[in-house]
Amino acid sequence: MGFEKFGQVGYISQTKVAPLISYLQKGVVAGTRCKNDGKFYFPPRADCLDCRKSDMEWVPIESRARLVTFTQVFFGPPAFEQSTPYTLGLAEFENGLRVFAPISKDLDRDELKPEMELVLRPRHVGEGVFYQLEKP
Amino acid sequence: MARVAIVGVGHSKFGKRSDASLRELAFEAYSEALDDAELESSSIDGSVVCSATHYDKQRSPAGVVAEYLGLNPKPTFNVEAACASSAVGLRTAWSLVSSGLHDVFAVVGVQKMTELSNKEIQELMGRAGDVMWESPFGTTMPSYYAMYATAHMARYGTTEEDLAGVTVKNRKYGAKNPKAMFQKPIGVEEVLKSRPVSTPLKLFDCCANADGAACLIVSNAERAKKITNKPVWVAGLGLASSPMALAGRHGAMTSFEVTKNAAKSAYEMAHVKPNDIDVAEVHDSFSITEILNYEDLGFARPGKGAKLLKDGETELGGKIPVNIDGGLISKGHPVGATGASQITSVVQQLRKEAGDVQVDGARIGLAQNIGGIGMYAAVSILRA
């Protein structure tokens, strides 16, 4: 339980990686690392794809990421209608992993272009916690 | 390898079909396919009903569809692969017929979407992506394809006018298709001025939700030759998968690996190359999708999709006519019916029955679907 707090509208409540919520509440964006073979996962996974072991530890992620692509959404699902337009982005960390996240409203859409440097920071709105891409 | 043929095709009118229920739409397509094959229902020894069942009010719709078509007590079941459902239905039928488990099998693609309220549709659209990691941020179906469009435009200089060109081309041909939802041509300006949905995609860059059905009658070689003198052979089938989460995909987001992988399998199985294809139906759920598909199917080099369109090569009379039945952009997109609809158009081309849009000498055709936001892709290659 508890994972329903992830994002603006949580669809999933039960998962083995629900501890992400408490990390985000403490202001930390974290992924999981396999204790057996050291493979790092973000978004976090409970189960290692390589060795199939399920013994993971939580590790904070570096925040710098490079924007890969984005879109400004004008027509959203019912729970997001009041927030339109909002911008969603896909960004890549230096280690090659990627994150899908909202882009801060502080960033003007006209400033956005693929390859630009952004940072991923934890945020909360009411009960919900999430992460978003912001200006470095 | 056992030879499998399509011996009959049927297609309902697509659009806002407030006159018909799911089962009645299925009947329209099935009955037309039986007439086309000059068969009675008693010759069909099983069916697969293909729909994205989350849109249906009826749970497990194969139950009511098989009943309404008079196909009880023969085997029936649902197949779902989002927008690729009935292309996967053909793959399923191919396997069942090749194995000898069935002789003459019906693939019924059907979807009833317009009786859902806008709210219900928007709610479903909001769960098109990975509901754990991406939907909580307000993703929509168009937003995913829009992100591919942003990347393609940034990398290759593709423009919003280029995207509009896809809609203009497809609506021009849709005007000749009496079964299409939209049968009126549209100009570039009208597309460019339509309201933004998810940048850079605008309303007329997007296909519309629709009601409709399409049906394929699939048979083994021995029966096919008795049923028709114009069997269309299933020469190659490719199906591939990709991470559902956008963050799980690699590369510049300017192409769909899933389409490339499905195409590779289909071309290999059919022993053909992209330039052997005489006519194609590709997934134009959004204008950008058609441009990416040109490149991913090997009709154009990476980044050259928009040029292929502007050069007129995907028009009737061009090097590789694409979506000259109007595509999803004109026909509408009754999700579960779309794959069988595309295959129906290719079958008609290969039988020289495509009327005003007949491609001279068409012998090899291709149909391609992307399922959902790109987690599935299916490519079917057919031969006269």
Side-chain angles (χ1 to χ4, degrees):
Chain A
M1 290 292 283
F3 198 74
E4 69 280 357
K5 292 197 177 82
F6 183 71
Q8 235 172 298
V9 176
Y11 294 95
I12 300 283
S13 62
Q14 302 173 1
T15 164
K16 293 177 180 176
V17 295
L20 176 66
I21 299 302
S22 49
Y23 281 96
L24 288 171
Q25 283 167 338
K26 284 184 279 185
V28 176
V29 185
T32 52
R33 185 162 61 200
C34 174
K35 285 187 182 170
N36 181 54
D37 67 13
K39 194 170 163 79
F40 181 71
Y41 294 98
F42 186 83
R45 280 179 61 100
D47 310 290
C48 182
L49 263 179
D50 285 358
C51 69
R52 285 189 289 110
K53 297 275 194 299
S54 304
D55 192 11
M56 307 295 251
E57 59 188 346
W58 288 89
V59 180
I61 61 153
E62 52 155 342
S63 63
R64 282 195 310 158
R66 185 183 55 84
L67 188 62
V68 178
T69 187
F70 63 92
T71 184
Q72 192 176 25
V73 180
F74 281 82
F75 183 69
F80 294 84
E81 272 177 337
Q82 301 306 315
S83 318
T84 55
Y86 51 91
T87 307
L88 302 173
L90 179 72
E92 184 169 308
F93 300 109
E94 270 172 22
N95 63 12
L97 291 177
R98 290 181 170 189
V99 60
F100 186 100
I103 297 179
S104 165
K105 291 210 187 252
D106 297 340
L107 269 150
D108 190 350
R109 186 184 111 73
D110 296 333
E111 291 176 45
L112 294 176
K113 49 178 183 298
E115 301 291 335
M116 74 186 289
E117 288 266 334
L118 296 171
V119 291
L120 189 71
R121 293 207 179 102
R123 282 286 173 257
H124 55 88
V125 174
E127 283 289 285
V129 286
F130 59 102
Y131 39 70
Q132 70 174 8
L133 292 160
E134 300 179 353
K135 273 184 192 174
Chain B
M1 194 175 289
R3 296 237 290 164
V4 173
I6 297 171
V7 296
V9 291
H11 199 294
S12 80
K13 167 89 170 69
F14 280 9
K16 193 166 168 50
R17 292 292 309 273
S18 39
D19 62 311
S21 68
L22 180 91
R23 64 192 81 185
E24 292 156 356
L25 290 167
F27 187 86
E28 289 180 24
Y30 177 66
S31 183
E32 192 176 290
L34 286 179
D35 286 346
D36 182 50
E38 296 182 32
L39 288 175
E40 290 302 323
S41 210
S42 54
S43 304
I44 307 300
D45 62 13
S47 60
V48 56
V49 175
C50 314
S51 83
T53 59
H54 46 274
Y55 288 108
D56 300 326
K57 300 274 184 185
Q58 176 64 55
R59 292 178 62 188
S60 205
V64 294
V65 169
E67 176 190 353
Y68 197 75
L69 303 186
L71 283 169
N72 296 142
K74 296 161 202 171
T76 192
F77 53 92
N78 281 100
V79 156
E80 194 269 341
C83 321
S85 293
S86 48
V88 177
L90 175 62
R91 183 182 180 89
T92 307
W94 187 93
S95 312
L96 292 171
V97 167
S98 300
S99 68
L101 209 51
H102 285 274
D103 294 329
V104 185
F105 198 78
V107 177
V108 183
V110 62
Q111 205 77 59
K112 178 77 192 168
M113 301 175 82
T114 70
E115 71 188 341
L116 294 174
S117 69
N118 283 342
K119 274 269 180 288
E120 286 172 303
I121 287 277
Q122 273 176 274
E123 204 279 325
L124 282 170
M125 185 181 67
R127 291 190 286 124
D130 178 332
V131 296
M132 188 158 165
W133 296 115
E134 299 184 355
S135 307
F137 299 134
T139 59
T140 62
M141 185 69 87
S143 69
Y144 283 101
Y145 286 89
M147 289 172 87
Y148 280 87
T150 301
H152 201 272
M153 289 165 72
R155 180 160 178 160
Y156 296 119
T158 304
T159 65
E160 295 187 34
E161 286 77 7
D162 293 335
L163 302 185
V166 172
T167 300
V168 171
K169 170 179 76 73
N170 293 354
R171 288 283 292 266
K172 180 177 75 182
Y173 292 108
K176 299 172 194 283
N177 183 348
K179 287 180 171 171
M181 183 172 193
F182 302 109
Q183 297 176 28
K184 244 177 71 183
I186 192 169
V188 175
E189 281 306 309
E190 201 180 336
V191 180
L192 291 174
K193 282 183 185 151
S194 62
R195 66 178 170 82
V197 171
S198 193
T199 59
L201 300 179
K202 293 165 283 293
L203 184 65
F204 292 134
D205 287 303
C206 308
C207 69
N209 293 328
D211 310 320
C215 177
L216 313 171
I217 307 290
V218 177
S219 150
N220 64 31
E222 190 190 342
R223 292 288 297 278
K225 286 172 190 158
K226 289 179 190 155
I227 293 168
T228 174
N229 55 9
K230 286 196 269 189
V232 169
W233 301 98
V234 181
L237 293 174
L239 181 65
S241 67
S242 170
M244 189 146 180
L246 215 61
R249 300 181 195 171
H250 304 291
M253 308 307 285
T254 52
S255 70
F256 279 97
E257 282 301 314
V258 71
T259 296
K260 292 187 199 170
N261 287 325
K264 186 168 182 285
S265 303
Y267 286 134
E268 278 174 13
M269 181 174 162
H271 304 292
V272 298
K273 294 189 169 62
N275 62 13
D276 295 322
I277 305 298
D278 299 313
V279 61
E281 288 287 315
V282 310
H283 203 65
D284 57 328
S285 50
F286 302 96
S287 54
I288 182 63
T289 329
E290 178 162 325
I291 288 175
L292 298 179
N293 289 335
Y294 294 162
E295 300 173 16
D296 295 340
L297 291 165
F299 300 154
R301 295 222 309 276
K304 300 289 184 197
K307 183 172 188 301
L308 190 77
L309 174 77
K310 281 188 285 194
D311 290 349
E313 297 291 8
T314 55
E315 302 265 359
L316 183 61
K319 201 168 67 182
I320 170 70
V322 175
N323 290 341
I324 54 173
D325 66 351
L328 282 57
I329 282 177
S330 303
K331 290 189 293 183
H333 183 26
V335 174
T338 287
S341 166
Q342 295 177 314
I343 291 163
T344 293
S345 291
V346 173
V347 165
Q348 288 166 339
Q349 285 283 351
L350 300 182
R351 289 182 187 165
K352 317 271 181 278
E353 292 170 358
D356 285 353
V357 293
Q358 181 63 50
V359 174
D360 282 342
R363 283 185 51 255
I364 304 175
L366 176 149
Q368 174 257 8
N369 277 135
I370 292 179
I373 60 167
M375 56 282 193
Y376 322 119
V379 174
S380 311
I381 297 175
L382 309 179
R383 253 183 210 277

